[in-house]
Structure formats: structure tokens, C-alpha cells
Amino acid sequence: MSPTAPAIARPRADFTYDAYESLLDAALASGYAFLTVREFLTREPLPDRFVVMRHDVDRKPGNALDMARIEADAGVASSYYFRTIEETFEPTIIEAVEALGHEVGYHYEDMDRAEGDPTLAVRHFTRNLARFREHATVDTVSMHGNPLTPYDNRDMWEATTFEEHGLLGEVYLSFDFTDVTYFSDTNRTWYDEKTIVNDWPVGKSAKSEQVDSTGDLVDLIADRRLDRFYLLAHPDRWAGSYPELATQWLRDAGINGAKWVLWTVRRLRGTADQTSGHAGPDRGNRG
Ligand SMILES: [Zn+2]
């Protein structure tokens, strides 16, 4: 940390809302601008130092609204992508998140639902996007990764274009991950197993820095060792209290165990998808 940098507190308990607030505070105190995905794709020129903050809302949409309020209180705007499954697609929450100043988009999984048929997937996607647009302005979308299916939802784009759907872009396909440095809270760590990842999920990527806890990430931001951050935080992995976090952690551990069994069975049958770089159950909660 440079002598002039402000003192920045590390969070005590990780993946709590308090820890999330300390992450926002660290970035703001260190002079980073926050960008939504829409802003990243349209703002010219980009700020010297920024954080693109993205949220994939797999489930627990109420947690997304909690985070959206925390960010709004801090003066931060970010991007929230909701699935269309029943427990997640909550129009009142989607509208409330947008009203707080955030970007809202569709967390799509239409190749999975169409069992790999791109034409059918495009039809599903069109219908689902229209459902979102009844409640919010949608300019960008985010692929949902389901380790239990052999499909990559991004393959739908071989059969259609962003322009056909009035979209500016997609959260993986529209970024150069050698330019922005990507950190995801998958499995409640910000750490990737490999420093250079040539496959899932971000394509070619070069990382000079690795962090594990949110405290480590706060330090990395406070030290300004990177100028362009791209962070993915899943609201359902964060909680307002420690007991709630413990309950979620136990549930996720159970899900991971089930995923591991399924992945192993599929691999033994020789049907694991090698081409899209699915790397096994340790990456299983990438959603
Ligand atoms: Zn997801």
C-alpha cells in the first residue's frame, strides 16, 4: 500500500453483507469507478481505474435486492442477471433492483432447456427476453452454466446475433479477459486453480494476481495493483448473518457432493463434455 492510500479495513467474517460493503468501500476509497456491463460496453473513454460488478442471480432473489440496496447506499451501480426459473424470476424484485439504479439482464440457459437445439433455444430465448422487457430495460445478457447438462448456453449465438435481439452484448463473449481481470466468488473463494485459464468460463485469460478471501481482494484493490477489475458475485452465496451463511454453506456442500457423483458417473461413461472445457465438480458451482 502506498503511504498516501487510506486505511482500509479487512472484513472479519467473509461472504457476509458486511464483507461485501468493505469490498465496495475499498474500491471507492482507492479511486475505482464502478461500471455496469452496459456502461462498460458503451462508455467512451473508460475510466483509468474501474470495477465492472456483475451478479448472476441463480436463486434467492431477495439476496439480490439486499445487495442492490447496499450498493445503492454506497452510490454504486452494477448489473444483475436473473434466471427465469420460478423461484428466481420475481418481477417486483427485478423492477426494484432497476429502480435502485442498477442494470438488469437475463441469465439465460436456453440451450440447456432446448437440449442443445439452437433453433429451439433461440425461440425460448426470444420469449424469455420479452418477459424481462415487460419489467426492465434489457441491453445485455449473461450465460448460466449448469454442470449437470452437456451444453454450453453460449453456443446459441452460432444461430443468432445480439443485434437480432436488440442487445449490446453478453457478459463473457463481449469481454477480453486478458484486458480485464476476472474474479468470481464461485465456491466462496475468489481463487482460480490456474493462473492462466484457457478454457472455462472466460476463454483466454491471463491473471497476474490471485486472491482467496474477500479480505485478500480488499488488499489487492487497496494496493491498486490492477486497474481493470471484473467481479462476479452471486447474491445467493452471501448472507446478512453468520448463521444464515452457515446454513447456505451446508446446503451448497450437499449440492457439490451430488454434482461430484453425477460428474464422475458421466465421466466413467465417457460422455463428459471435453470440448467446452468442463473441468469437473470443483468448478461445479460456477453458475
Ligand atoms: Zn448461474
Side-chain angles (χ1 to χ4, degrees), residues 56 58 83 107 144-145 234 287:
D56 286 350
D58 290 323
R83 294 174 75 191
H107 194 34
H144 173 66
H234 296 81

Side-chain angles (χ1 to χ4, degrees), residues 54 56-59 81 83 107-109 142-146 172 232 234 236-237 285-287:
R54 164 182 148 219
D56 286 350
V57 187
D58 290 323
R59 51 195 184 87
Y81 299 92
R83 294 174 75 191
H107 194 34
Y108 67 99
E109 52 193 310
S142 164
M143 179 271 304
H144 173 66
N146 183 342
Y172 295 106
L232 166 59
H234 296 81
D236 64 281
R237 311 219 173 277
N285 263 338
R286 64 185 186 251

Side-chain angles (χ1 to χ4, degrees), residues 17 20-21 23-25 28 34-36 51-55 63-80 97 100-103 231 233 235:
Y17 292 159
Y20 189 68
E21 272 185 70
L23 177 62
L24 300 181
D25 291 346
L28 291 169
F34 279 85
L35 298 177
T36 63
V51 178
V52 175
M53 182 63 87
R54 164 182 148 219
H55 304 286
N63 285 30
L65 184 55
D66 290 342
M67 285 187 122
R69 286 184 175 132
I70 291 167
E71 288 171 340
D73 286 346
V76 164
S78 68
S79 299
Y80 286 82
V97 168
L100 286 164
H102 303 294
E103 176 181 18
L231 305 183

Side-chain angles (χ1 to χ4, degrees), residues 33-52 174-175 179-180 227-229:
F34 279 85
L35 298 177
T36 63
V37 172
R38 179 196 284 135
E39 286 172 328
F40 175 85
L41 295 177
T42 53
R43 192 180 284 188
E44 185 69 48
L46 290 167
D48 290 341
R49 214 177 265 132
F50 64 78
V51 178
V52 175
S174 302
F175 284 82
D179 173 44
V180 294
D227 288 334
R228 298 176 158 217
F229 284 90

Side-chain angles (χ1 to χ4, degrees), residues 61 82-91 94 131-132 135:
F82 292 79
R83 294 174 75 191
T84 48
I85 58 170
E86 201 180 329
E87 69 170 300
T88 304
F89 189 80
E90 289 275 358
I94 288 168
R131 285 176 69 196
F132 272 91
H135 305 285

